[in-house]
Amino acid sequence: MKKILGLLMPFALVLCLVAPAASAKIKENNDTSKDNSTHVQIVLFDGFDLMDALAPYEVFAAAGMYTKGAITVELVSAEGKRSVPSGLNGPALEARAVLDPKRPGIILVPGASGKPTGDSEDAIPNILKQAMKTGLPDMLKQAFNNKEITVATVCGGTLLPAMKGLLKDRHAVTNHMGMAALGALGAIPIEARVVEDSPRFVSGGGVTSGLDVALYLVDRELGPQVANSVEKLFEYEKRGTVWKAEGIVPVDFNTNE
């Protein structure tokens, strides 16, 4: 936990600089019918992982700052405006609105933070099970059916749509400890840092992959110059090649063929 918080602190400092501008832009654009910007909804649920949510938030907020609001971001929950506790007894974040699966843009789902295994209340499997009892799974189903929405997941967040049956035969990645479960739920597990099954579904592996997922989406939506500026601001370069189901399939030397 101390290590995670240590990694999180630099991002939190930048957040203090960019979040007010991003929030102000969101308020200016309440009328979504007149809003031509790309809007990002980051979903919070009880026990969510702080870095899974805040690292992408800062990337999108900084991109909005560099483009004068071409992209906006807000924290949401299935229940609407409320204080949402993070996992491992971490601080709560304020969800500003209810998740809207009809609003065009990007919906990003973080993973949970807790004990990797076990039956305790603070174990990740149980945190995800509790999230499945909320309205979130049905909202995600609506989002997957909306051709104007890209759903992105980070770490264990990939398991939430998988548990709803939304990732059957889709290429995806999650935390390495959840890859077997991902396959058992019908998805096609891919060992890559970021996986794009289609332009409308992107997933990231471990906790810090949220940075890479967000930077990839910024590059895709706004272009490489903006993504590069955000990288320089954070002094972080996007890691790994984004895996896509296209191009020449490499030879698998682990088979007998």
Side-chain angles (χ1 to χ4, degrees):
M1 183 62 181
K2 291 182 178 179
K3 184 178 180 181
I4 293 175
L5 289 176
L7 289 169
L8 191 61
M9 286 305 294
F11 298 118
L13 292 175
V14 178
L15 180 62
C16 294
L17 297 175
V18 300
S23 298
K25 190 64 181 180
I26 291 169
K27 292 179 180 179
E28 292 174 6
N29 291 309
N30 285 331
D31 186 353
T32 57
S33 64
K34 299 179 180 179
D35 186 3
N36 295 320
S37 64
T38 298
H39 187 65
V40 183
Q41 301 179 78
I42 297 181
V43 184
L44 304 182
F45 55 88
D46 291 3
F48 74 94
D49 186 280
L50 278 168
M51 185 174 286
D52 284 2
L54 285 182
Y57 184 98
E58 293 197 36
V59 170
F60 292 126
M65 177 180 66
Y66 279 120
T67 59
K68 297 182 179 180
I71 191 167
T72 57
V73 58
E74 67 177 335
L75 301 176
V76 300
S77 79
E79 298 79 15
K81 183 177 175 63
R82 70 182 182 99
S83 179
V84 187
S86 62
L88 292 177
N89 295 317
L93 293 182
E94 185 75 16
R96 302 291 300 276
V98 64
L99 170 63
D100 184 357
K102 296 180 180 180
R103 183 171 185 176
I106 297 169
I107 292 176
L108 185 140
V109 184
S113 180
K115 297 175 182 176
T117 60
D119 294 325
S120 62
E121 185 177 338
D122 60 348
I124 289 177
N126 280 333
I127 294 174
L128 295 178
K129 287 178 182 177
Q130 290 302 311
M132 291 298 294
K133 295 178 182 178
T134 69
L136 178 56
D138 288 334
M139 290 177 168
L140 290 178
K141 183 177 181 179
Q142 293 180 57
F144 270 90
N145 290 332
N146 189 334
K147 295 181 180 180
E148 295 184 303
I149 289 179
T150 294
V151 176
T153 59
V154 178
C155 200
T158 308
L159 293 173
L160 285 172
M163 293 165 73
K164 181 65 175 175
L166 301 175
L167 299 189
K168 182 174 174 56
D169 298 327
R170 289 180 180 267
H171 304 91
V173 65
T174 185
N175 185 285
H176 67 93
M177 291 183 289
M179 290 291 274
L182 187 62
L185 291 167
I188 304 173
I190 300 295
E191 293 185 3
R193 188 161 176 84
V194 178
V195 173
E196 183 179 83
D197 174 76
S198 72
R200 293 186 48 247
F201 176 57
V202 179
S203 56
V207 178
T208 56
S209 69
L211 285 166
D212 305 294
V213 169
L215 283 166
Y216 170 68
L217 290 172
V218 166
D219 187 345
R220 194 185 80 175
E221 299 295 320
L222 304 175
Q225 294 185 51
V226 177
N228 179 256
S229 292
V230 176
E231 285 185 338
K232 289 192 292 184
L233 176 66
F234 292 162
E235 297 188 19
Y236 174 86
E237 294 182 355
K238 182 171 68 67
R239 290 176 54 192
T241 299
V242 176
W243 187 97
K244 300 180 182 180
E246 57 186 47
I248 298 174
V249 178
V251 175
D252 184 357
F253 291 101
N254 293 317
T255 65
N256 294 324
E257 296 181 4

